[in-house]
Amino acid sequence: MYLDPAGCQRCISLLDRGVVTLGRRPEADVCLPWDPGISRLHAELIHRAGEWLIADDGLSQNGTLVNGMPVEGRRRLRDGDLITLGRTTLTFCEPSTEADASGRQDADVTMALPEMRPVLTYSEQQQMILRQLCRPLREDGEGVQPAADAEIARVLAVDNEVVVRELDAVAYSFGYAEIAMEERRLRTALTALRSGLVDTTD
């Protein structure tokens, strides 16, 4: 999923595909001709044994990033990963991610490098709410869910509707407005952590 130059959201289905090419060439499965930082054939998405990998085996001139980290060779992708080619960012979405025995989805939190920072500015209240949303992920870091809206409201002594409104605004800014509530909260928390919006050391 990505935004085109006009700001329209574009989704490319990976269903029943083995290899998906990304680049500026018209022949690429995901053609991104507007970004000069993207090579004609930049990278490939490869489906192997039920997993999706991104491969940049020297195909691109400027390299490929996943969650702000350079891809060297191949790297496995997880739901919500942010793929950066040139100045364009795509989100890898895998709605078929299986839940574990407790019913929770495996949230593999990959922390971003320090230079990956959010472009938008968020209010102090939004940042406080985001820190509480991400607290369970920061404490454990794997296989947990973000804090519930009601719990955030209790800790911060604000109305529950305020929490819902502020988190929805942040989720919208991330491009997650159309996603179901539970998954939207998880992706919002992961993106806030990966982008550096929420400091993992505080």
Side-chain angles (χ1 to χ4, degrees):
M1 179 176 66
Y2 63 93
L3 296 179
D4 66 18
C8 297
Q9 181 174 290
R10 304 293 183 184
C11 296
I12 305 297
S13 174
L14 304 179
L15 190 63
D16 298 326
R17 298 196 187 195
V19 177
V20 175
T21 55
L22 300 89
R24 286 191 294 114
R25 289 183 62 90
E27 295 86 354
D29 297 311
V30 181
C31 180
L32 309 166
W34 60 84
D35 190 336
I38 297 177
S39 298
R40 289 180 297 173
L41 176 57
H42 195 104
E44 293 179 322
L45 300 177
I46 303 171
H47 196 237
R48 291 286 183 273
E51 300 278 358
W52 279 97
L53 313 173
I54 187 164
D56 184 347
D57 300 310
L59 293 175
S60 68
Q61 291 184 350
N62 296 320
T64 301
L65 305 178
V66 173
N67 303 327
M69 303 176 67
V71 174
E72 298 179 0
R74 299 184 179 190
R75 173 172 174 162
R76 184 171 60 174
L77 293 173
R78 294 186 181 275
D79 184 46
D81 278 345
L82 304 177
I83 302 168
T84 303
L85 316 176
R87 295 189 299 273
T88 301
T89 297
L90 305 90
T91 303
F92 175 74
C93 305
E94 190 174 23
S96 61
T97 301
E98 295 182 0
D100 61 20
S102 65
R104 301 178 308 186
Q105 287 190 337
D106 179 16
D108 182 24
V109 182
T110 304
M111 300 306 173
L113 295 179
E115 63 266 26
M116 187 179 179
R117 294 296 177 188
V119 176
L120 300 177
T121 300
Y122 298 91
S123 69
E124 182 177 348
Q125 178 169 264
Q126 287 173 332
Q127 293 179 50
M128 290 173 58
I129 291 173
L130 279 172
R131 280 196 292 273
Q132 290 301 318
L133 178 75
C134 297
R135 180 176 44 78
L137 298 176
R138 291 159 52 211
E139 290 175 352
D140 186 277
E142 191 167 335
V144 297
Q145 293 293 312
D149 293 351
E151 174 65 12
I152 298 171
R154 186 189 66 78
V155 171
L156 296 180
V158 298
D159 192 88
N160 190 72
E161 292 184 2
V162 173
V163 174
V164 173
R165 183 180 68 245
E166 295 287 32
L167 287 180
D168 282 348
V170 175
Y172 181 83
S173 75
F174 290 160
Y176 300 151
E178 304 302 320
I179 301 175
M181 176 69 76
E182 184 176 350
E183 185 179 357
R184 182 164 74 234
R185 289 292 184 262
L186 177 58
R187 289 199 191 182
T188 298
L190 292 176
T191 301
L193 285 168
R194 290 166 173 161
S195 68
L197 179 57
V198 170
D199 189 347
T200 60
T201 62
D202 65 7

